[in-house]
Structures are given as C-alpha cells and as structure tokens.
C-alpha cells in the first residue's frame, strides 16, 4: 500500500511563496506518476500539476503556469510543489496523488489511485 502525506501548507499573504512536500512510503515513488490537486470550498477538485515517473516531464494548469513548479526526488521518496506569487484564488486543500499507470501524468486529471489527506493553503491579506 502506497501512503502519501502532504505538509507545508499554511496561511500566507498574496505574493508570498510556499513549498508543499509529499512524503511517500510503502513503495518507491519512482514507480508512479504524481500529481498535485486542490479543492476550494464549494468547488470540485482540480489538477494543479503532474509529473512523470522520471521527473523529466511535467504538466501545469494554465492558472499556475509560471508561478508553480513541481519536482520529485525518487531517492528520497519525495515530491514537491513550489508555489510562488500566490493569489487568493490559490486557496484550497492541496492533495498529493499517485498512480501506477505511467500515462497519468500526461492526462493529469483526478483519476489517480492513491491520495494523501491534504494540506490547507490559505492566501489572504
């Protein structure tokens, strides 16, 4: 069983930065496509960014392109989401997800098999 635990969320002001981390255990994360997703109150969960097993290929939602960077360290079994120039509309519960199908990173929708519990990000002045 692959377990995912997110951390790094918090309350920040517009323009600030945060780095989210996702720690994987149970299996080597290098076997999985990984995605970061978020869900704002009253809205559906949406994809933020996805990364291939190797880390060489990434995909981003239009709303975060140029501001967020996804990365992974397969040796440490960690995945990260660096978020810069945060906006109030980035507020939400951020989830890390993994899937063994190696094309999931390219599709980058919510059809992922393993999910963490989420970490809250609130951007407010």
């Amino acid at each position: 069983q692959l377990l995912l635990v997110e951390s790094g969320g918090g309350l920040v002001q517009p323009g600030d930065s945060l780095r989210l981390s996702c720690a994987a255990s149970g299996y080597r994360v290098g076997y999985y496509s990984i995605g970061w997703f978020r869900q704002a109150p009253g809205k559906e969960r949406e994809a933020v960014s996805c990364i291939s097993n190797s880390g060489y290929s990434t995909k981003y939602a239009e709303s975060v392109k140029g501001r967020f960077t996804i990365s992974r360290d397969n040796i440490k079994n960690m995945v990260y989401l660096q978020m810069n120039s945060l906006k109030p509309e980035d507020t939400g519960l951020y989830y890390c997800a993994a899937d063994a199908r190696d094309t999931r990173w390219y599709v980058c929708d919510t059809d992922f098999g393993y999910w963490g519990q989420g970490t809250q990000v609130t951007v407010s002045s």
Side-chain angles (χ1 to χ4, degrees):
Q1 180 79 6
L2 178 69
L3 297 178
L4 303 170
V5 178
E6 304 92 338
S7 62
L11 171 62
V12 297
Q13 294 187 339
D16 285 352
S17 297
L18 276 177
R19 188 196 197 201
L20 304 184
S21 298
C22 174
S25 61
Y27 286 95
R28 295 187 65 84
V29 74
Y31 294 138
Y32 298 86
S33 290
I34 299 291
W36 282 99
F37 300 82
R38 67 187 180 191
Q39 188 166 18
K43 294 187 177 181
E44 292 190 355
R45 193 173 298 185
E46 64 175 356
V48 175
S49 181
C50 294
I51 188 167
S52 63
N53 302 37
S54 66
Y56 291 140
S57 299
T58 58
K59 201 166 186 180
Y60 295 92
E62 286 296 324
S63 60
V64 306
K65 277 184 180 178
R67 300 189 297 122
F68 290 12
T69 303
I70 190 171
S71 62
R72 65 192 297 163
D73 186 332
N74 288 343
I75 295 175
K76 294 182 178 179
N77 246 24
M78 296 289 295
V79 184
Y80 306 98
L81 184 68
Q82 177 67 43
M83 306 187 295
N84 298 329
S85 302
L86 282 161
K87 303 176 180 180
E89 51 264 43
D90 294 319
T91 294
L93 190 59
Y94 281 69
Y95 298 91
C96 172
D99 198 281
R101 294 168 289 178
D102 57 10
T103 58
R104 281 286 92 199
W105 73 269
Y106 183 77
V107 179
C108 201
D109 60 16
T110 55
D111 184 15
F112 274 60
Y114 300 93
W115 292 82
Q117 294 299 306
T119 184
Q120 179 67 36
V121 173
T122 303
V123 185
S124 176
S125 55

